[in-house]
Amino acid sequence: MSHWIDNQKNLMLFSGRAHPELGEAVARELGVALTPTTARDFANGEIFVRFEESVRGSDAFVLQSYPQPLNKAIMEQLIMIDALKRGSAKRITAVLPFYPYARQDKKHRGREPISARLIADLMKTAGADRLVSVDLHTDQIQGFFDGPVDHMHAMPLLTDYVRKNYGTDNIVIVSPDAGRVKTAEKWSNILDGAPLAFVHKTRDIDVANKVTSNRVIGDVEGRTCILIDDMIDTGGTIAGAVDVLRKAGAADVIIATTHGVFSDPARERLNSCGAREVITTDTLPQNTEGWDNLTVLPIAPLVAKTIHEIFENGSVTTLFE
């Protein structure tokens, strides 16, 4: 890909410390070097960042992933953006493959925050001109940021893998709840019109991460179920859904998700829930150690192509057509 970049125009890529492997992989795909950066924590936890090269007039892309401790990673990216703004970067694009606080995108009840909007405001205030993210929890988050938002989709990556490894003859696309049915329909369209099913579930709004899976709507008997979600955190919903599908006579269950958050006890749950394979991407740092069934697909090519299109003022939409 190195022939892409016209160095006269000055694309500069910066990576936070949360997921350095992803930063390096994106840089390799683009054929540029990550800009050398000094980043350190003071004794009281404050973060210091300084870039070792001039950023004046550059088209700057600041990549940060959000594993735990995510609040520290957010602050680091904001500080990097501020340093670029004060260093006279021409345009600053914040690249957040996994958008933090995306689940808090509306008020469920009174006196609650809309934290996903707050993140967008913070990025804007720090000096970001545009945002890039992959598979936002809900599309409306694009409207929270006052500027261009490039919303990338990992679906082609995941569907290609499923097609290669499981074919499309005997599969059924399963949404873990009614809210993801629209996404399941898109999967179905790509995978030769595979049939759909969804798991009807109830959630206790007073208890975080607590979900009860009830029953399957749709025919899954004797079929390979592709169970999809945009993110898996503790794995409770998904493990419950696998159990319900197994009881409904599913021959096999394959889990596919873009963002493998995998907070404890997700690994134990997903290892022992009866799913044949868990497929995710590395928008968050992943480690297959201790997993029996985890497959990690690289997101760097998609992120690099997006950065390239933005830099060349091309069309990001064409990446999905």
Side-chain angles (χ1 to χ4, degrees), residues 134-258:
V134 181
D135 285 345
L136 291 166
H137 190 58
T138 49
D139 290 340
Q140 74 204 43
I141 293 172
Q142 296 171 80
F144 291 172
F145 183 77
D146 189 17
V149 176
D150 293 300
H151 184 199
M152 312 310 292
H153 301 285
M155 192 188 299
L157 198 67
L158 296 163
T159 50
D160 277 359
Y161 181 88
V162 167
R163 183 188 291 276
K164 277 196 194 93
N165 290 275
Y166 297 100
T168 57
D169 293 343
N170 193 39
I171 63 169
V172 54
I173 310 300
V174 184
S175 166
D177 55 42
R180 295 267 148 224
V181 170
K182 220 168 162 184
T183 310
E185 282 173 353
K186 289 179 188 165
W187 273 71
S188 166
N189 290 339
I190 295 174
L191 293 171
D192 309 339
L196 299 176
F198 77 93
V199 177
H200 185 269
K201 68 170 188 182
T202 50
R203 180 184 288 278
D204 184 345
I205 55 169
D206 291 316
V207 185
N209 299 90
K210 178 138 174 58
V211 167
T212 316
S213 293
N214 298 336
R215 61 201 175 98
V216 185
I217 315 292
D219 181 22
V220 300
E221 195 168 340
R223 291 178 176 270
T224 297
C225 294
I226 312 296
L227 180 60
I228 61 162
D229 212 347
D230 64 312
M231 71 161 89
I232 297 177
D233 190 354
T234 58
T237 303
I238 291 290
V242 173
D243 188 49
V244 172
L245 292 169
R246 284 290 191 192
K247 284 176 179 157
D252 238 333
V253 184
I254 315 300
I255 297 166
T257 184
T258 303

Side-chain angles (χ1 to χ4, degrees), residues 13 20-31 34 63 282 298 300-301 304:
L13 182 63
E21 300 81 11
L22 182 60
E24 282 153 19
V26 171
R28 274 196 305 277
E29 291 281 335
L30 281 169
L34 281 172
L63 177 71
D282 57 357

Side-chain angles (χ1 to χ4, degrees), residues 28-164:
R28 274 196 305 277
E29 291 281 335
L30 281 169
V32 301
L34 281 172
T35 305
T37 304
T38 298
R40 60 173 183 265
D41 300 339
F42 290 109
N44 68 346
E46 289 177 10
I47 297 166
F48 170 82
V49 171
R50 180 175 188 268
F51 306 120
E52 301 300 319
E53 292 172 8
S54 168
V55 299
R56 183 177 300 276
S58 68
D59 201 344
F61 293 84
V62 190
L63 177 71
Q64 181 73 299
S65 186
Y66 288 109
Q68 295 180 16
L70 122 166
N71 296 322
K72 178 180 170 182
I74 292 169
M75 200 65 209
E76 182 174 83
Q77 189 171 22
L78 294 171
I79 289 170
M80 291 173 79
I81 291 167
D82 186 72
L84 286 165
K85 179 173 72 173
R86 294 172 195 285
S88 303
K90 183 178 82 212
R91 179 170 68 169
I92 303 167
T93 302
V95 185
L96 304 75
F98 170 70
Y99 191 97
Y101 287 95
R103 283 173 289 188
Q104 297 177 37
D105 59 351
K106 58 180 178 288
K107 285 171 68 168
H108 298 277
R109 295 177 298 172
R111 303 181 298 283
E112 287 186 354
I114 302 181
S115 311
R117 167 66 199 249
L118 176 62
I119 294 293
D121 288 344
L122 288 168
M123 293 289 162
K124 186 77 182 171
T125 301
D129 299 300
R130 64 190 302 149
L131 293 187
V132 173
S133 198
V134 181
D135 285 345
L136 291 166
H137 190 58
T138 49
D139 290 340
Q140 74 204 43
I141 293 172
Q142 296 171 80
F144 291 172
F145 183 77
D146 189 17
V149 176
D150 293 300
H151 184 199
M152 312 310 292
H153 301 285
M155 192 188 299
L157 198 67
L158 296 163
T159 50
D160 277 359
Y161 181 88
V162 167
R163 183 188 291 276
K164 277 196 194 93

